[in-house]
Amino acid sequence: AVKSGVARAIEAGARRPAVYLAPLPASVNAVPDADYSRWIEVALLAALEASYVTLVVREHRTATLGADAVVENLHSIDLVVESHSDEELRSAVKRATAIEGGRRLALDMGYGDPERMTPYKCAETIQAAAASVPGLEFEVIKDLDMIKQDYPLLYHSARASFAEKRTWPCVVKLEYRSPVPAQVKEHLFLVGKGVTYDTGGISLKIGGSMRGMSRDKLGACGVAGFAVATGLMQETAVDLSCVLAFERNSIGPNSLLPDEIVYSRAGVRVLINDTDAEGRLVMTDPVAECRERILAARVAGSKIPAAIYTVATLTGHVIRAYGWYGATV
């Protein structure tokens, strides 16, 4: 409702709408499994979603209208909430602002066109965002020899992109550490698929199915946004280690070929059947690296629970298995 209302206000020309949130009726607490504890943040995030303008459009407005151009849809949003203290509202606004900061980073990169968001430009965008986030450390690996050694499956998947340095692959690492180490309950290892454009490689996408494949990097973009939001909130209960594998799955004389056998970081032989299955190639070695780190921490005596998650746009197989919506396994 908030999203629709703010969208209508923008259409009517409003630049500073007010969002009034009435008190929740007591009956909502009677709904089984319902949790309305974050309802103010949810409403704020809905309003901010309605106001979002993509990076490409913002840059276009600046380029065509000048440096003083109004690139955002809204100047601000006034929030009116009954029955809540100023401290509660400040906390809700701070949390929503942090989440929105991460979400906008993910959207700016994810919906940037393939030339605006090449692997290196994605890395630069993340670096700029991470610079102002307390406790969040950034690292990027661009050296092809190092990528070949540590992430060989990514290296081979990206081989056709080596013809132009601007499309070379890279690996971005983000490390977030809780400001209160004693409160850490879990160490999450997140691996993101960052295919900035997916032609399918030599197993070429045909029939118009290549359209929209600049969004095949949204897994890595989402992980970057999650890390930034976690850092902005200064979350105390979790440590994060993120590995984002960026590449352009190009086609050319040096393309990876079906029937090739390549070796993973873990020494496993991998038979290539379809180069359009690049997502598992770019993420496998980062997953192996995360596993190595968890085992090393165990040997060193760490008792903090750890888990590895991969985040990716595996469009074809998800649609076959679940239909046209996201899936979490």
Side-chain angles (χ1 to χ4, degrees), residues 23 52 72 75 116 152 200 202 259-260 286-287 318 324:
Y52 173 71
E72 298 284 356
H75 287 306
R116 177 61 183 85
I202 208 74
D259 294 344
E260 278 194 60
V287 168
V318 168
W324 288 89

Side-chain angles (χ1 to χ4, degrees), residues 261-308:
I261 296 175
V262 294
Y263 285 82
S264 74
R265 176 189 180 104
V268 176
R269 283 158 42 99
V270 179
L271 172 63
I272 306 301
N273 288 318
D274 184 345
T275 62
D276 198 18
E278 82 294 334
R280 64 206 70 183
L281 292 179
V282 304
M283 292 191 294
T284 294
D285 291 326
V287 168
E289 178 184 21
C290 292
R291 178 178 180 273
E292 293 166 9
R293 291 184 58 185
I294 292 172
L295 293 177
R298 293 288 177 270
V299 171
S302 174
K303 301 295 184 182
I304 298 174
I308 303 172

Side-chain angles (χ1 to χ4, degrees), residues 226-246:
F226 181 80
V228 165
T230 302
L232 290 174
M233 286 188 286
Q234 286 293 278
E235 187 62 51
T236 60
V238 68
D239 285 338
L240 293 180
S241 294
C242 309
V243 187
L244 316 178
F246 287 103

Side-chain angles (χ1 to χ4, degrees), residues 58-72 75:
R58 298 199 309 269
E59 291 179 339
H60 170 73
R61 289 176 179 175
T62 300
T64 56
L65 301 176
D68 296 329
V70 177
V71 298
E72 298 284 356
H75 287 306

Side-chain angles (χ1 to χ4, degrees), residues 111-175:
Y111 289 89
D113 71 63
E115 286 300 311
R116 177 61 183 85
M117 284 295 168
T118 62
Y120 282 13
K121 289 181 179 178
C122 284
E124 292 168 3
T125 303
I126 296 170
Q127 183 177 18
S132 59
V133 180
L136 187 62
E137 296 182 1
F138 169 91
E139 178 188 358
V140 62
I141 300 171
K142 296 181 178 180
D143 183 77
L144 290 182
D145 289 334
M146 187 176 295
I147 292 174
K148 185 176 184 179
Q149 173 182 306
D150 293 338
Y151 310 97
L153 298 184
L154 168 64
Y155 175 89
H156 286 292
S157 178
R159 278 185 346 215
S161 70
F162 296 172
E164 293 283 345
K165 188 171 183 178
R166 63 188 175 81
T167 61
W168 282 10
C170 65
V171 175
V172 170
K173 295 184 178 183
L174 294 170
E175 297 283 340

